[in-house]
Amino acid sequence: MIDYKQNLAEFLTKVTNLPVSNIYNLIEIPPQENLGDYSFPCFQLAKEFKKNPAEIAKEIKEELSDNKPDWLDEIKVAGPYLNFYLEPGFFAENLLKEILLKKETFGHKEIGEGKNVIVEYSSPNIAKPFHVGHAFTTILGQAISNIYEALGYNIIRMNHLGDYGTQFGKLIVAWRLWGDETELAKDPITELTRVYVKFHDELEKEPELEDEAREAFRKLEAKETAEVELWQKFRQVSLVEFNRLYDRLGIKFDNYNGESFYSDMIPEVVSLLEEKNLLEESEGAQLVDLSEFNLNPCIILKSDGTTIYASRDLAAILYRNQEYDYHKNIYVVGLPQTNHFQQVFAVLKKANFSKADQNVHVGFGTVKFKEGEFSTRKGNIILLEDLLNQSVDKTRKIIETNNPEMTKEIIAETAEKVGLAAVSYTYLRNSREKDIFFDWDEILDFEGDTAPYLMYTYARARSVLQKSNFSSIDISKIDFTLLNSEAEFSLLKELYKYPDAIESAAKEYEPSILLRNISQIARSFNRYYHNVPILKTDDNDLRSARLALLEAICIVIQNGLKLVGIETVERM
Ligand code: ARG
């Protein structure tokens, strides 16, 4: 695919004697379509040649007009600016050939080739409910992984399970006192939560439970069989639950090493910090002073010698470095943990760790619900499973009403996909640091900024293609240059932005950038489709070209949604 901005910079360099990169950076996208596709301000040249910029613009235009390349339609002078208008037919042909040829890899790049990127996401806590906050990291992390993968990076998807810490001592004691095997088999997380909550209630009457819990955790750390076996059981039943959700959402990990995995590697962290003389003792604890970073000290070992969350994260970084020699190590974790990651990264910096600047905390906001929108099973924790089920239920009703002829099975299948997509899209559509707000009327609105809207647009375009003879048309015989109307050109320009949208989304860790592009493509297409009856186009050549445009739109919408974890449906 042609990079017009680059081409233009090369074209201009011949007459301005400014270097290409300099020109490239000066080229702007005009604020209005009637001002052309690119513009070049002549102020810098004016300074250099000590001339009026408007005059320079005129002179350059004269010089360039004689050997205008094929891709350029017109050059116009507007005061101190030169405005460039692309040739719509050429543009259409070059872009559509690329999309139809590359199909599902259109927009993908190889800039990440040979580089390992670790994306850590989801990371729920064992024996605790999987709530709507964990869904944020899960869905966002998956999208970021896919987007980096599309750029050629080698992705390692890691789930840093919260499977360690003193709370497991409490859970072991609580389970031995009050656990019920039958209930555990039925609904493990509910049962484990029940005994854990009871432990805290009973603690008021029986403070010595605390000592028992500490003892149980000590035994767990010392790898005593009975404690390790119980802990493994809790971990295993929790994973079965989590995996059910991951399967439903189509989410996969390469690695489930939880915090426990790294607890054995703490001595390595301690000796590294000791070697660099960074450990200080304070009230029996070992810590790293971070005052030069304006941060509180990072505790590495507690006074009783047990490890903490931050030290396990440091051990994990050493491990990731050895195991994957990573280019980037990305943490998709909520904003409340910003300070924690700042401390961990500052310790690395202070220790002169080679990859100290290759770790990124990608934070996100909190999840809120419209008043009375959600009845919860458990106090005020909203489980992801309940959220998904409600979304699918509501979607089913809408699809049933819209498609009375659909079979029950197809309705159920479609509702599952659309309902999940509606939830995922709500998590991803805005800048990730913003809080999100669930309002069913809004997220299931088939006309709104929603997954159902995009999926419906896709399904509609597909159904037009199905009704046509497009599959029997020889693509190499299509005259794409016929797609030169204003409406077609502006739609094509949205498609042209897709590869850049992937790249910016990766750079900013913001799938919302990609989704904005997809939703603009869909809006632009719907406007076009409203005005141009594609199937009823009289001229056969033009009809074929328009069908090819439709096919390209389907390809790009489907690709974009797939990157953020949303699967399209053919009918809805
Ligand atoms: N398990 C933690 C939680 O649920 C998140 C873990 C984040 N990752 C990390 N490497 N610290 O809050």
Side-chain angles (χ1 to χ4, degrees):
M1 197 170 81
I2 290 181
D3 180 346
Y4 293 97
K5 196 174 166 188
Q6 180 67 26
N7 273 15
L8 184 58
E10 283 163 19
F11 180 52
L12 278 168
T13 195
K14 292 179 198 143
V15 292
T16 56
N17 70 52
L18 289 177
V20 179
S21 62
N22 190 339
I23 298 178
Y24 187 90
N25 291 330
L26 287 172
I27 294 174
E28 297 170 11
I29 309 275
Q32 283 155 262
E33 261 184 23
N34 62 357
L35 295 175
D37 302 300
Y38 297 97
S39 76
F40 179 74
C42 296
F43 305 106
Q44 189 174 334
L45 286 175
K47 249 194 231 151
E48 228 156 281
F49 294 109
K50 301 198 169 50
K51 265 191 190 166
N52 171 328
E55 223 157 276
I56 297 215
K58 263 189 225 144
E59 280 175 26
I60 296 182
K61 187 200 147 154
E62 300 280 287
E63 267 185 79
L64 291 180
S65 292
D66 294 336
N67 41 33
K68 221 164 26 70
D70 292 346
W71 48 266
L72 199 54
D73 182 30
E74 256 191 293
I75 308 172
K76 287 187 188 167
V77 172
Y81 285 90
L82 277 163
N83 292 336
F84 297 88
Y85 296 73
L86 297 177
E87 212 304 290
F90 183 99
F91 187 80
E93 175 167 17
N94 181 267
L95 175 62
L96 291 176
K97 275 189 175 160
E98 171 95 1
I99 297 174
L100 297 177
L101 186 82
K102 295 260 176 81
K103 296 201 174 76
E104 53 282 338
T105 63
F106 169 69
H108 292 199
K109 295 192 178 141
E110 271 142 40
I111 51 182
E113 221 176 339
K115 292 184 180 137
N116 288 344
V117 168
I118 294 172
V119 185
E120 188 211 286
Y121 58 103
S122 201
S123 310
N125 299 321
I126 294 300
K128 296 246 177 80
F130 197 105
H131 56 73
V132 292
H134 289 123
F136 208 152
T137 148
T138 307
I139 289 163
L140 180 61
Q142 175 79 347
I144 291 174
S145 309
N146 294 345
I147 288 169
Y148 269 83
E149 197 161 57
L151 295 175
Y153 292 93
N154 178 36
I155 309 300
I156 300 109
R157 296 165 162 86
M158 291 192 108
N159 194 337
H160 190 80
L161 293 172
D163 63 357
Y164 214 64
T166 47
Q167 71 271 29
F168 288 94
K170 295 178 190 167
L171 191 60
I172 288 171
V173 171
W175 172 256
R176 283 177 174 154
L177 287 170
W178 311 295
D180 179 334
E181 288 287 352
T182 325
E183 291 302 314
L184 188 76
K186 258 196 261 165
D187 186 353
I189 301 213
T190 305
E191 175 61 3
L192 293 174
T193 314
R194 181 186 70 83
V195 298
Y196 190 69
V197 169
K198 191 168 165 74
F199 180 92
H200 287 274
D201 293 343
E202 298 289 321
L203 203 54
E204 283 171 28
K205 288 175 265 166
E206 263 186 275
E208 56 282 7
L209 281 174
E210 190 82 68
D211 300 324
E212 282 180 42
R214 206 169 297 126
E215 180 58 11
F217 182 61
R218 193 198 57 75
K219 287 184 172 172
L220 180 64
E221 284 219 287
K223 304 223 184 322
E224 293 198 14
T225 320
E227 282 69 24
V228 170
E229 271 175 11
L230 267 185
W231 169 84
Q232 262 164 350
K233 177 182 177 134
F234 301 150
R235 190 179 193 274
Q236 209 258 329
V237 295
S238 305
L239 265 181
V240 170
E241 290 283 287
F242 299 156
N243 279 327
R244 201 180 59 230
L245 278 168
Y246 295 144
D247 283 348
R248 190 173 181 190
L249 291 166
I251 283 175
K252 289 201 169 59
F253 295 96
D254 299 302
N255 185 313
Y256 286 86
N257 289 347
E259 290 183 42
S260 63
F261 180 84
Y262 304 103
S263 82
D264 288 348
M265 299 172 205
I266 304 294
E268 218 182 305
V269 175
V270 172
S271 67
L272 181 105
L273 297 174
E274 261 169 359
E275 221 172 86
K276 311 240 166 182
N277 248 332
L278 296 179
L279 280 185
E280 287 173 23
E281 202 183 305
S282 167
E283 291 167 36
Q286 296 288 325
L287 46 82
V288 177
D289 176 75
L290 298 174
S291 49
E292 65 197 271
F293 299 92
N294 274 327
L295 293 167
N296 287 327
C298 183
I299 301 174
I300 305 296
L301 289 173
K302 285 195 283 194
S303 52
D304 60 3
T306 53
T307 66
I308 61 159
Y309 187 51
S311 34
R312 291 192 285 273
D313 261 325
L314 286 164
I317 288 173
L318 300 185
Y319 172 83
R320 290 173 189 190
N321 176 36
Q322 276 160 23
E323 198 71 7
Y324 302 110
D325 188 22
Y326 61 81
H327 167 72
K328 243 179 219 218
N329 176 30
I330 300 171
Y331 294 88
V332 185
V333 181
L335 284 172
Q337 295 196 34
T338 302
N339 185 62
H340 163 73
F341 286 106
Q342 282 173 344
Q343 286 184 311
V344 170
F345 300 163
V347 171
L348 298 173
K349 194 99 185 147
K350 206 165 165 173
N352 273 325
F353 178 67
S354 60
K355 291 187 167 64
D357 296 319
Q358 285 158 247
N359 310 292
V360 194
H361 172 216
V362 171
F364 53 82
T366 51
V367 184
K368 296 183 175 138
F369 288 83
K370 194 173 145 189
E371 271 282 293
E373 277 281 275
F374 217 93
S375 48
T376 52
R377 261 198 276 170
K378 292 200 174 70
N380 45 17
I381 294 181
I382 296 177
L383 301 182
L384 174 61
E385 193 152 45
D386 290 347
L387 177 68
L388 297 179
N389 288 345
Q390 247 194 61
S391 182
V392 170
D393 262 1
K394 288 178 191 287
T395 307
R396 186 183 313 112
K397 290 187 187 115
I398 301 173
I399 294 181
E400 247 161 23
T401 318
N402 292 353
N403 303 275
E405 75 299 340
M406 253 191 204
T407 66
K408 267 214 143 41
E409 276 131 44
I410 308 243
I411 289 177
E413 229 173 83
T414 312
E416 172 77 8
K417 286 186 185 155
V418 179
L420 296 191
V423 169
S424 293
Y425 191 81
T426 308
Y427 279 104
L428 298 174
R429 69 171 176 178
N430 290 323
S431 313
R432 58 184 157 77
E433 294 198 354
K434 277 198 195 159
D435 289 346
I436 55 173
F437 191 71
F438 273 94
D439 170 348
W440 291 117
D441 290 336
E442 201 188 315
I443 77 174
L444 296 176
D445 180 359
F446 276 43
E447 302 284 317
D449 178 19
T450 62
Y453 170 75
L454 299 178
M455 295 169 88
Y456 186 65
T457 303
Y458 172 86
R460 180 151 75 175
R462 272 251 84 85
S463 94
V464 175
L465 284 167
Q466 234 124 52
K467 279 186 217 139
S468 75
N469 57 339
F470 184 69
S471 54
S472 62
I473 296 174
D474 178 355
I475 292 182
S476 67
K477 300 223 166 73
I478 292 176
D479 183 1
F480 296 102
T481 63
L482 297 173
L483 298 170
N484 56 11
S485 74
E486 228 170 87
E488 278 146 358
F489 187 47
S490 77
L491 177 50
L492 286 158
K493 274 172 70 178
E494 294 300 337
L495 290 173
Y496 181 77
K497 289 181 194 157
Y498 175 76
D500 279 346
I502 297 181
E503 229 179 303
S504 317
K507 212 166 164 188
E508 310 283 330
Y509 313 99
E510 262 312 351
S512 61
I513 295 175
L514 176 61
L515 285 178
R516 211 167 309 133
N517 173 244
I518 297 299
S519 107
Q520 258 147 20
I521 291 170
R523 298 260 161 226
S524 180
F525 163 68
N526 280 322
R527 233 175 292 130
Y528 175 68
Y529 185 65
H530 186 78
N531 297 325
V532 180
I534 299 176
L535 280 177
K536 292 196 193 109
T537 306
D538 294 329
D539 180 311
N540 251 333
D541 290 338
L542 183 57
R543 183 174 176 277
S544 297
R546 285 180 172 164
L547 287 170
L549 171 59
L550 206 59
E551 169 81 1
I553 285 161
C554 285
I555 291 174
V556 176
I557 293 181
Q558 186 172 40
N559 288 358
L561 290 179
K562 193 166 167 215
L563 285 184
V564 301
I566 293 178
E567 211 187 317
T568 48
V569 294
E570 297 295 298
R571 282 187 58 211
M572 63 186 268

